[in-house]
Amino acid sequence: MSWLPNLKTETAEEGFELAIKLSRMAVKKTQPDDATRTKLRDDYANSADSLTLASQVVATNFQTVAAANDYWR
Amino acid sequence: MSWLPNLKTETAEEGFELAIKLSRMAVKKTQPDDATRTKLRDDYANSADSLTLASQVVATNFQTVAAANDYWR
Amino acid sequence: MSWLPNLKTETAEEGFELAIKLSRMAVKKTQPDDATRTKLRDDYANSADSLTLASQVVATNFQTVAAANDYWR
Amino acid sequence: MSWLPNLKTETAEEGFELAIKLSRMAVKKTQPDDATRTKLRDDYANSADSLTLASQVVATNFQTVAAANDYWR
Amino acid sequence: MSWLPNLKTETAEEGFELAIKLSRMAVKKTQPDDATRTKLRDDYANSADSLTLASQVVATNFQTVAAANDYWR
Amino acid sequence: MSWLPNLKTETAEEGFELAIKLSRMAVKKTQPDDATRTKLRDDYANSADSLTLASQVVATNFQTVAAANDYWR
């Protein structure tokens, strides 16, 4: 089964979760090693700017998911 | 109850507040520990570039919220 | 009275000013202390990259304001 | 044959793969030497912020691919 | 007379020039001192990453100008 | 003759090439000296993050070119 068959979600909150998933999946595709990603996670989860950059990626993906769902209007 | 049932707001100002909330929520999802986030907040609230990066995330989320509300036209 | 009742402006130039205002307001919401912001302003107003990052935020907000005004067509 | 005849994909997942391809192709056009890119890959695959920046590029390209496919609706 | 009455240009090339103007104007609004900006220009015109960041701002503004002109279609 | 009469391309691949051209042209407008740009190119072509930032600019310009061509649908 596909991890991303489409971009449809029931609510805006689920759409936000999907945006987070997309952001992490792009990282996983570049660094597939789970142990390395876990180690790096400790780094950026304790850096203000790293968290802000991560939030920027989520915001960009949320634009896509929101448009795909016609903004849950 | 969902923290984000939809993206509808009454005014542009409330939409801007929602954009800020989305920006912070993405950080919270990556760093759920309140004490750590509070400590980091002191860091970036006193760095010009950190504040600018945070403002960039808000701007990106505000694009989404504004589109969802048809720009409050 | 709201500081942002809507995104409507008469001209593109006023829209650009509103984009600057939105960019600064996001900073203010994170760092509400006026004295701190004034001090930080001296920092980034003398750094080329800081000014470019600030210009990026304005550009992003200007996209939103321009769309809201149907590009003043 | 063109490496990018169009932006059409069957599913959102394939669209995400195309977004990754676009992101890497832009790098390849600037640094065409395979050995250099492989060496640099080791660098950024072990840096949290580098991975986040790469994820940002994928998110931006995914916006384009998703729009091109009418969000696989 | 307004420096930006509207976003209309005759050609895509003129639109690109307008995007550059918008990018610089945002900098000027933050750092109005001509001598300081000239000095900073020497800095970033000799840094690869600074030039790339500046190019990012132009790209963002060009999106706005292009949409305003219906992509000169 | 204009270097950018319009944003029309035959294929998505040509559109991607145009996005690269736009990204480089913005740099050239800020640093017109060919020798300096060539020297800087050596710098960023050997830095993972510099290449990622450059890829981000291309992605942003590709959004514009793709929209201008109705995504080559």
Side-chain angles (χ1 to χ4, degrees), chain F residues 24-43:
Chain F
R24 292 184 181 162
M25 194 55 90
V27 170
K28 192 173 183 172
K29 296 277 184 180
T30 306
Q31 178 45 275
D33 184 61
D34 286 349
T36 304
R37 284 205 317 285
T38 301
K39 186 173 70 63
L40 295 176
R41 196 182 170 85
D42 285 343
D43 291 350

Side-chain angles (χ1 to χ4, degrees), chain D residues 2 4 6 12 14 25 29 35 40 44 48-49 55 57-59 73:
Chain D
S2 170
L4 188 67
N6 59 64
E14 289 173 37
M25 194 55 90
K29 296 275 184 181
L40 295 176
Y44 83 81
D49 286 352
S55 180
V57 182
V58 173
R73 275 190 285 232

